[in-house]
Amino acid sequence: MLAFTRTTRIEWGDCDPAGIIFYARYYDIFDVSTTMMLEHALGMNKIDYLNAYDFLGHPLAETRARFLRPTRFGDEVAIETAIVSCGRSSFKIEHKLSKAETLCAEGSETRVWVVRHPDDPRRMKSQPIPAEVVAKLTQASAA
């Protein structure tokens, strides 16, 4: 399955007054990592792949996280994001955030491939993930 690793720095705005990352920021980091992995796999940025596949996006259906070690303002961290399974209209992702090779947080997501509902454009409806996309998500790792 596809895996993607990126690095980032914990910024002041990510932290609480004690300089420790606010837990909800991990979800933001995971979300950005998901998008970056998909952009890399599909060879285009998000707005382009939304248009190319004529869909609304890949919202979360389920998420969880475990916080093992704190990260702080100025820490350089690596995030490994990997597809762990692809279904008909959903896919599962795991994230591992490490500092100096020490696992600090991990999370998982289930995302759904959605389009506008044909009967009510204010609603979303799941749609099968295109075979071309499934093939790219289930291939070897990306760096």
Side-chain angles (χ1 to χ4, degrees):
M1 294 286 187
L2 180 67
F4 179 83
T5 301
R6 74 180 185 100
T7 59
T8 193
R9 185 176 60 213
I10 304 303
E11 300 293 347
W12 181 252
D14 297 326
C15 299
D16 63 18
I20 299 170
I21 192 169
F22 177 59
Y23 76 93
R25 294 295 296 139
Y26 286 114
Y27 288 103
D28 292 328
I29 291 168
F30 295 159
D31 185 64
V32 168
S33 295
T34 294
T35 297
M36 290 179 74
M37 178 184 62
L38 291 171
E39 288 177 341
H40 184 83
L42 300 175
M44 58 186 99
N45 65 33
K46 186 172 183 174
I47 191 67
D48 291 335
Y49 72 68
L50 292 175
N51 290 326
Y53 295 104
D54 193 27
F55 78 116
L56 288 178
H58 35 73
L60 283 169
E62 181 179 6
T63 188
R64 72 163 190 82
R66 281 184 356 139
F67 311 107
L68 306 165
R69 301 259 190 283
T71 56
R72 293 175 165 69
F73 170 59
D75 286 349
E76 294 286 334
V77 296
I79 307 95
E80 180 183 341
T81 299
I83 299 288
V84 293
S85 68
C86 262
R88 183 187 75 79
S89 62
S90 66
F91 53 101
K92 294 185 180 194
I93 301 165
E94 289 183 352
H95 304 278
K96 293 181 180 178
L97 184 143
S98 302
K99 177 183 144 194
E101 299 186 29
T102 298
L103 183 63
C104 298
E106 58 187 4
S108 65
E109 303 174 337
T110 300
R111 291 187 175 259
V112 180
W113 195 270
V114 299
V115 296
R116 285 198 196 287
H117 194 287
D119 300 330
D120 183 353
R122 295 171 296 168
R123 293 175 46 213
M124 296 182 288
K125 177 184 168 199
S126 68
Q127 176 177 317
I129 303 168
E132 170 188 340
V133 173
V134 171
K136 290 179 179 182
L137 297 182
T138 56
Q139 69 184 5
S141 296

